[in-house]
Amino acid sequence: MTWFVITLEVLLSCVWWRTDGTVSRVSCTHMETVLRDLEAVVQLLAAARTHFVSCWDATAVRRALQWARYCERLHARFHSDLEVRHALEQLLQEVGRCLGGQVLTLPELAQCEGLLIQSLLRNPAVPHEVTKELLGMGTGTCCAGQMACQHSALPYLEELIQYKAAAQLLSHPLQSILGPAAPMDPETQIQGKMVRQRLDSLLQESDPEWRSQDFLDSILRDCGEDRCFSLMLAAAALSAPPGSDGGRKDVVGIIVDWLLGNRSQLLRFCRDIPSALLVDLAERSSSFREAYCSVLEDWGHSLRYNVLEALWVPDSDCAVSFDTLVDRWQSLLRSPSLREGSERLLLEMKLADGDFDVTGLSVWSDVLAWLRK
Amino acid sequence: MSNSELFTEQLVEFWMNKAVEWGQAETPTVQFDVALHLAKLRSFLQDVLQKLHATSSTKEMMERFPFIGQLLGRLCWNPLVTADEESRGRLLRCLCCMYSAQPQGAVELKANQWIRNLLSHFCTEDDSDTTRAILKNIGCTPREYHLEVMKNMVACLVKDVMSTSCHAVHGLELCSCDRFYSISLFSIPLVTCPEAAPLISALLQCPAACARAILSKDFLEAVSEALLSKKLVVKETAVVALWCQSVTSLESATLHLLQSVLSIPEPFPQELEKQVTDSLLPRASALHCPLFLVVNDIFRTMLLGSDTNVALRALLQTFTRCFLRIRGQMELQEKLLLKAFFPHTSQAMITLLLKLPSEVPEEAWPARLLRISRSVQMEVEGEAGHGTRWRRNVFESWFLLLQCGDWVDVAAQVLVTSGEEACATLMWLLAFYYLPADNGQQRTQALAIAKEAFNHLKVLFSTAAPPLEHLQALVELMSTQSSHPAITRLVLQLTVNFAAFSPELPDFAAQFFHRVKVRCGLTCQPLALLAGIEHRVNGCAILGRLRTIKDIFQ
């Protein structure tokens, strides 16, 4: 309890310029100030979710918003500076432990203002005058009339609603333009692009493979069963400019490595993504091509011939249908660079099965027969 | 309407029904309806907001307007409404206003809770797991994320619009150009959003030439309004494309220019030129003859209402000057003949007047001016009978003269050094410029006064120690109580030109101008005239002279 009271006093007595001044070059003493400030903000955010807010007043909430915005500026300034970032991450871990396990991650610092506003709106312990102040209509405010007060949550809320509404509005004409068969909607494209940009910057750091794997694992954890995860990963891989520079790992390589290390994700990926995009990716990465072909091979082997219906049927829930298999191979054969290799592979597999031209004996000969029609 | 209710039952029912209807689906039909009612919705929300400020408590508000919560809630969830800047702002403020700082009783507590829930849902509503994962792991704000998504959508739509290549005439197969109508409908609330500007531009300049590629009228109107209030900024080509598609928007733009110019009684040439050029009207008119004709028509109508308005004359002069300059820079094959732009005037007049004085060598000015004056005189005094056709011809000649007022300014300058014979002709031109109608011998009277003033001026500026009575007579002529304001201006123009262009500025000049300033109360007018001359001439000597005279008047 005591740490909170101290924090509040520190905040309320804080000199105005710190929240308003620009963040300049980092020096030793400056670093200390930055770390101290960050600690205060994290505690502030935590306090916003507890019953301690019941002793806040209008000034406190205004100051809190200013601190949150300052914190966002800190993040913008320092997240690309490796040393400082390590220090910040360590501090966040430490403070989180002190607060009883609620760790704020560094990327979440960029959303300080939003998190604060959300916490205050959801916390029933917040006094009514404080919420009124948060909404820009407190008794002491300068402009309860026309313009949204800069020191309230209104500008944030308004902008958020604006862009969301605009995106929703534009999605209607886009749907009819892109059509139902379109592989990727604009939102997934942007998500992919953001992931790629992040991977690009991770590649510049030390130990990039571990960091990127960790990053992708973390996103997977947070996405859960959302189908869009695979699409987003594909968008990230395909948005990278084609052609890697020599032996250095690039984003496509990182993503493929991650997929190869995660068999279930690879299967999910191959199933969820439309074949045209998979072919695109196979053209860019030979290791993916191999993995993809091996998945197709597995799928083929999990089909059983039903003599009564004269059809190939999947023998388990995770296998795909015969038609899907044919479709995938067809897309591969359409690609100029992959056609030869894929056709050769199919012939080899047919040969291994006995090279029969009768339906029902080897799935590969039937696939080839369909493709040749 | 009972005393306790804030709005009539019908009004409330109307908006509740609309809110429900609009919430059913986000189809182009619904969007069309929203666009139709947007202005009314905005003012209704403004009313609600004002009444909210006026009531003392939320409880009272809910008693007098029981459905307010439902209505605001429904509207808040509708992106067709919240995409519009003004509606969104007012809705949010209504909600924030309804929050009670000191809630009394269950109703207000519940309202507070509801508002908090609603607003917190806006922060995270319908964010998919993937979106949340991205936000958590990448470290951008929700605002940045949604902004990027919107920008990407805009880019996709722009690409689609600009890649259409539908020809004007095609067979019976359907093209999909009617999608532009629905895109324009959905873009109406976004015209003031800077990130949507590329899409607005693309729609206006859409390359499809087929008859089905039309844009919504409400969209064009919204774009026009946003441009005039400077909330939307697009390239010149897009603005011109807008005007070509919608005459109403061209008219609004012209009236907007007129309004801003006519609010200044004595506009100075540099600022006026900047204002006129910035309006993009001269360029658009030079590129498209029909646009010029519309703008000119509006000017003509304004002129018929108020012919002695100095600002309007200055505007006409500046507009034509900018127009001619732009035409001068165009490639030969791009240009239509001037006759197409001025169908009501004779080719002879067009050739004489529609060339800027700056493009004619100074030595040729007197001869040209004489020809101009004689041509106009012929139009006015030539035809026997004073029927409607004659009146129209005179008006058109005068209108053209106003537009080419640069030549009238030059005439005043040439008068200073011209001989007797030329002087009479040029004086007539000036008199006609200021007083075209000769009702009650106005013009004849003006001519006589001008001649008198000219004689005085000639004497004053050619002798070292002029007789005082000339000075006094001149001041008398200029004092506004005794004559028509147009005549005063004519005399003032002659005086200023004599002061500027005589070989030497006499010593009494300072005293004289001071007298003019005090006795006749003229400061703005001379300064404007001097600024006009300054804008026109080059040469340090003359600029120095002008500065001296300006100092006296300031």
mmCIF file of all heavy atoms in Angstrom, chain B residues 117-135:
data_model
loop_
_atom_site.group_PDB
_atom_site.id
_atom_site.type_symbol
_atom_site.label_atom_id
_atom_site.label_comp_id
_atom_site.label_asym_id
_atom_site.label_seq_id
_atom_site.Cartn_x
_atom_site.Cartn_y
_atom_site.Cartn_z
ATOM 1 N N ASN B 117 -19.537 1.330 -19.824
ATOM 2 C CA ASN B 117 -19.462 0.076 -20.589
ATOM 3 C C ASN B 117 -19.348 0.353 -22.073
ATOM 4 O O ASN B 117 -18.522 -0.231 -22.774
ATOM 5 C CB ASN B 117 -20.720 -0.766 -20.356
ATOM 6 C CG ASN B 117 -20.608 -1.562 -19.087
ATOM 7 O OD1 ASN B 117 -19.515 -1.709 -18.558
ATOM 8 N ND2 ASN B 117 -21.720 -2.044 -18.608
ATOM 9 N N LEU B 118 -20.216 1.243 -22.513
ATOM 10 C CA LEU B 118 -20.246 1.561 -23.947
ATOM 11 C C LEU B 118 -18.882 2.067 -24.406
ATOM 12 O O LEU B 118 -18.315 1.589 -25.394
ATOM 13 C CB LEU B 118 -21.323 2.619 -24.183
ATOM 14 C CG LEU B 118 -21.627 3.006 -25.616
ATOM 15 C CD1 LEU B 118 -22.163 1.812 -26.375
ATOM 16 C CD2 LEU B 118 -22.656 4.118 -25.651
ATOM 17 N N LEU B 119 -18.341 3.026 -23.667
ATOM 18 C CA LEU B 119 -17.076 3.615 -24.084
ATOM 19 C C LEU B 119 -15.927 2.612 -24.001
ATOM 20 O O LEU B 119 -15.036 2.615 -24.852
ATOM 21 C CB LEU B 119 -16.757 4.855 -23.235
ATOM 22 C CG LEU B 119 -17.683 6.039 -23.493
ATOM 23 C CD1 LEU B 119 -17.372 7.180 -22.536
ATOM 24 C CD2 LEU B 119 -17.549 6.534 -24.926
ATOM 25 N N SER B 120 -15.942 1.762 -22.987
ATOM 26 C CA SER B 120 -14.828 0.809 -22.902
ATOM 27 C C SER B 120 -14.937 -0.232 -24.000
ATOM 28 O O SER B 120 -13.924 -0.737 -24.485
ATOM 29 C CB SER B 120 -14.769 0.168 -21.519
ATOM 30 O OG SER B 120 -15.593 -0.952 -21.455
ATOM 31 N N HIS B 121 -16.144 -0.523 -24.434
ATOM 32 C CA HIS B 121 -16.288 -1.459 -25.552
ATOM 33 C C HIS B 121 -15.719 -0.886 -26.819
ATOM 34 O O HIS B 121 -15.195 -1.617 -27.660
ATOM 35 C CB HIS B 121 -17.761 -1.821 -25.771
ATOM 36 C CG HIS B 121 -18.152 -3.004 -24.974
ATOM 37 N ND1 HIS B 121 -19.299 -3.064 -24.227
ATOM 38 C CD2 HIS B 121 -17.531 -4.180 -24.779
ATOM 39 C CE1 HIS B 121 -19.371 -4.217 -23.625
ATOM 40 N NE2 HIS B 121 -18.313 -4.915 -23.933
ATOM 41 N N PHE B 122 -15.824 0.428 -26.996
ATOM 42 C CA PHE B 122 -15.261 1.043 -28.184
ATOM 43 C C PHE B 122 -13.765 0.811 -28.271
ATOM 44 O O PHE B 122 -13.195 0.786 -29.346
ATOM 45 C CB PHE B 122 -15.523 2.549 -28.207
ATOM 46 C CG PHE B 122 -16.889 2.888 -28.682
ATOM 47 C CD1 PHE B 122 -17.633 3.854 -28.042
ATOM 48 C CD2 PHE B 122 -17.442 2.243 -29.762
ATOM 49 C CE1 PHE B 122 -18.900 4.168 -28.472
ATOM 50 C CE2 PHE B 122 -18.711 2.531 -30.199
ATOM 51 C CZ PHE B 122 -19.443 3.499 -29.552
ATOM 52 N N CYS B 123 -13.139 0.668 -27.106
ATOM 53 C CA CYS B 123 -11.696 0.479 -27.124
ATOM 54 C C CYS B 123 -11.316 -0.870 -27.698
ATOM 55 O O CYS B 123 -10.297 -1.019 -28.341
ATOM 56 C CB CYS B 123 -11.131 0.593 -25.716
ATOM 57 S SG CYS B 123 -11.287 2.233 -25.052
ATOM 58 N N THR B 124 -12.145 -1.875 -27.458
ATOM 59 C CA THR B 124 -11.708 -3.202 -27.868
ATOM 60 C C THR B 124 -12.773 -3.997 -28.597
ATOM 61 O O THR B 124 -12.605 -5.169 -28.835
ATOM 62 C CB THR B 124 -11.340 -4.054 -26.644
ATOM 63 O OG1 THR B 124 -12.461 -4.014 -25.764
ATOM 64 C CG2 THR B 124 -10.112 -3.531 -25.970
ATOM 65 N N GLU B 125 -13.858 -3.343 -28.978
ATOM 66 C CA GLU B 125 -14.935 -4.121 -29.567
ATOM 67 C C GLU B 125 -14.517 -4.764 -30.888
ATOM 68 O O GLU B 125 -13.770 -4.204 -31.653
ATOM 69 C CB GLU B 125 -16.158 -3.200 -29.720
ATOM 70 C CG GLU B 125 -16.874 -3.198 -31.030
ATOM 71 C CD GLU B 125 -16.347 -2.186 -32.027
ATOM 72 O OE1 GLU B 125 -15.733 -1.196 -31.621
ATOM 73 O OE2 GLU B 125 -16.516 -2.408 -33.203
ATOM 74 N N ASP B 126 -14.976 -5.929 -31.119
ATOM 75 C CA ASP B 126 -14.736 -6.743 -32.325
ATOM 76 C C ASP B 126 -13.288 -6.849 -32.768
ATOM 77 O O ASP B 126 -12.996 -7.107 -33.918
ATOM 78 C CB ASP B 126 -15.635 -6.290 -33.497
ATOM 79 C CG ASP B 126 -15.101 -5.073 -34.251
ATOM 80 O OD1 ASP B 126 -13.968 -4.662 -34.033
ATOM 81 O OD2 ASP B 126 -15.854 -4.534 -35.074
ATOM 82 N N ASP B 127 -12.377 -6.664 -31.859
ATOM 83 C CA ASP B 127 -10.983 -6.944 -32.214
ATOM 84 C C ASP B 127 -10.797 -8.440 -32.194
ATOM 85 O O ASP B 127 -11.062 -9.090 -31.194
ATOM 86 C CB ASP B 127 -10.036 -6.310 -31.179
ATOM 87 C CG ASP B 127 -9.741 -4.860 -31.516
ATOM 88 O OD1 ASP B 127 -10.082 -4.426 -32.631
ATOM 89 O OD2 ASP B 127 -9.176 -4.174 -30.663
ATOM 90 N N SER B 128 -10.333 -8.978 -33.305
ATOM 91 C CA SER B 128 -10.146 -10.431 -33.339
ATOM 92 C C SER B 128 -8.934 -10.796 -32.494
ATOM 93 O O SER B 128 -8.137 -9.939 -32.126
ATOM 94 C CB SER B 128 -9.934 -10.876 -34.780
ATOM 95 O OG SER B 128 -8.738 -10.316 -35.250
ATOM 96 N N ASP B 129 -8.807 -12.090 -32.240
ATOM 97 C CA ASP B 129 -7.649 -12.548 -31.453
ATOM 98 C C ASP B 129 -6.342 -12.173 -32.129
ATOM 99 O O ASP B 129 -5.367 -11.800 -31.480
ATOM 100 C CB ASP B 129 -7.701 -14.082 -31.301
ATOM 101 C CG ASP B 129 -8.775 -14.492 -30.319
ATOM 102 O OD1 ASP B 129 -9.074 -13.671 -29.425
ATOM 103 O OD2 ASP B 129 -9.308 -15.603 -30.448
ATOM 104 N N THR B 130 -6.351 -12.281 -33.457
ATOM 105 C CA THR B 130 -5.117 -11.967 -34.182
ATOM 106 C C THR B 130 -4.755 -10.499 -33.985
ATOM 107 O O THR B 130 -3.591 -10.158 -33.758
ATOM 108 C CB THR B 130 -5.281 -12.226 -35.691
ATOM 109 O OG1 THR B 130 -6.200 -13.288 -35.875
ATOM 110 C CG2 THR B 130 -3.979 -12.562 -36.342
ATOM 111 N N THR B 131 -5.785 -9.639 -34.063
ATOM 112 C CA THR B 131 -5.509 -8.212 -33.883
ATOM 113 C C THR B 131 -4.926 -7.957 -32.509
ATOM 114 O O THR B 131 -3.934 -7.247 -32.344
ATOM 115 C CB THR B 131 -6.801 -7.388 -34.028
ATOM 116 O OG1 THR B 131 -7.492 -7.824 -35.185
ATOM 117 C CG2 THR B 131 -6.508 -5.924 -34.116
ATOM 118 N N ARG B 132 -5.541 -8.586 -31.518
ATOM 119 C CA ARG B 132 -5.043 -8.386 -30.156
ATOM 120 C C ARG B 132 -3.625 -8.893 -30.020
ATOM 121 O O ARG B 132 -2.775 -8.261 -29.386
ATOM 122 C CB ARG B 132 -5.951 -9.111 -29.166
ATOM 123 C CG ARG B 132 -7.042 -8.240 -28.607
ATOM 124 C CD ARG B 132 -7.685 -8.897 -27.417
ATOM 125 N NE ARG B 132 -8.791 -9.732 -27.831
ATOM 126 C CZ ARG B 132 -10.057 -9.334 -27.789
ATOM 127 N NH1 ARG B 132 -10.355 -8.134 -27.354
ATOM 128 N NH2 ARG B 132 -11.019 -10.137 -28.175
ATOM 129 N N ALA B 133 -3.357 -10.043 -30.656
ATOM 130 C CA ALA B 133 -2.014 -10.617 -30.581
ATOM 131 C C ALA B 133 -1.004 -9.658 -31.202
ATOM 132 O O ALA B 133 0.074 -9.426 -30.664
ATOM 133 C CB ALA B 133 -1.979 -11.956 -31.306
ATOM 134 N N ILE B 134 -1.376 -9.110 -32.343
ATOM 135 C CA ILE B 134 -0.487 -8.169 -33.023
ATOM 136 C C ILE B 134 -0.215 -6.973 -32.136
ATOM 137 O O ILE B 134 0.928 -6.572 -31.916
ATOM 138 C CB ILE B 134 -1.112 -7.682 -34.343
ATOM 139 C CG1 ILE B 134 -1.273 -8.824 -35.310
ATOM 140 C CG2 ILE B 134 -0.324 -6.553 -34.943
ATOM 141 C CD1 ILE B 134 -0.070 -9.076 -36.153
ATOM 142 N N LEU B 135 -1.269 -6.392 -31.584
ATOM 143 C CA LEU B 135 -1.103 -5.195 -30.772
ATOM 144 C C LEU B 135 -0.215 -5.483 -29.578
ATOM 145 O O LEU B 135 0.634 -4.670 -29.208
ATOM 146 C CB LEU B 135 -2.468 -4.688 -30.299
ATOM 147 C CG LEU B 135 -3.329 -4.048 -31.375
ATOM 148 C CD1 LEU B 135 -4.690 -3.687 -30.809
ATOM 149 C CD2 LEU B 135 -2.664 -2.792 -31.900
#
